[in-house]
Amino acid sequence: MDIGEFITVFKDGGVRAWLAWDALEAAGCVVRERFSRSPDVLGGLFTVWYRSADGTDGDWRNPGDRPLRVAECADAIDVLPADRRRRILRFTEAFRGEDAPVRLVLPAYAVGGDEAVLLDGTHRAVAASLAGVEVRVMLFVLDGPVDPQMLPDLGHHR
């Protein structure tokens, strides 16, 4: 998948992360495709959700707050805002009722090595992790500058 295809597939598909779509090509971003069946790979992905030092729900605008990984969200489900928690639990219940592996197609942004921040699909990713079901994860990872101008959350990953 090239950057143009990434934009076509994901831009109008409801990605809610504050990504600088117009800057992706100019920044030289490329797309890497990664497939995994590992719950550890899924659980290790960063989210755009945060925890503050006092253990409450955080925010990317607070420098002291830290981004949560998918597995951490699953472990801290009771701390998440009620609407987020309800959505995750609905997906979790649905995933546990499936006979086949849960298939997730997820856009992400690379932050170094194999680490990446999910741009969309976080509720589903956390639910799959929480459900403990077999997964098939197809990641489309933007590889570009780790610059908060591209995605504000990247300020927490420098």
Side-chain angles (χ1 to χ4, degrees), residues 1-12 21 24-25:
M1 175 181 284
D2 66 25
I3 193 67
E5 292 166 330
F6 183 93
I7 292 168
T8 298
V9 170
F10 293 110
K11 182 177 182 183
D12 295 325
W21 291 99
L24 296 177
E25 286 186 83

Side-chain angles (χ1 to χ4, degrees), residues 73-151:
C73 293
D75 290 341
I77 191 80
D78 295 331
V79 178
L80 299 176
D83 58 332
R84 189 179 297 166
R85 185 173 52 246
R86 279 191 299 273
R87 190 165 182 207
I88 291 167
L89 292 174
R90 280 194 302 268
F91 279 124
T92 302
E93 188 176 316
F95 292 161
R96 285 182 177 152
E98 292 290 321
D99 290 333
V102 171
R103 289 166 176 77
L104 300 171
V105 176
L106 303 169
Y109 198 103
V111 293
D114 284 334
E115 296 200 319
V117 176
L118 285 178
L119 299 173
D120 192 39
T122 307
H123 293 87
R124 291 176 292 123
V126 172
S129 183
L130 184 62
V133 295
E134 197 175 342
V135 294
R136 302 292 185 270
V137 180
M138 187 70 211
L139 289 170
F140 293 94
V141 182
L142 286 172
D143 200 349
V146 181
D147 179 347
Q149 295 298 316
M150 298 299 294
L151 174 69

Side-chain angles (χ1 to χ4, degrees), residues 2-54:
D2 66 25
I3 193 67
E5 292 166 330
F6 183 93
I7 292 168
T8 298
V9 170
F10 293 110
K11 182 177 182 183
D12 295 325
V15 169
R16 293 186 221 180
W18 291 0
L19 187 62
W21 291 99
D22 295 338
L24 296 177
E25 286 186 83
C29 292
V30 295
V31 181
R32 285 186 289 133
E33 298 173 18
R34 288 178 51 201
F35 171 78
S36 180
R37 298 169 53 154
S38 169
D40 293 335
V41 168
L42 179 64
L45 294 168
F46 283 103
T47 70
V48 292
W49 299 345
Y50 291 79
R51 176 172 282 166
S52 64
D54 66 3

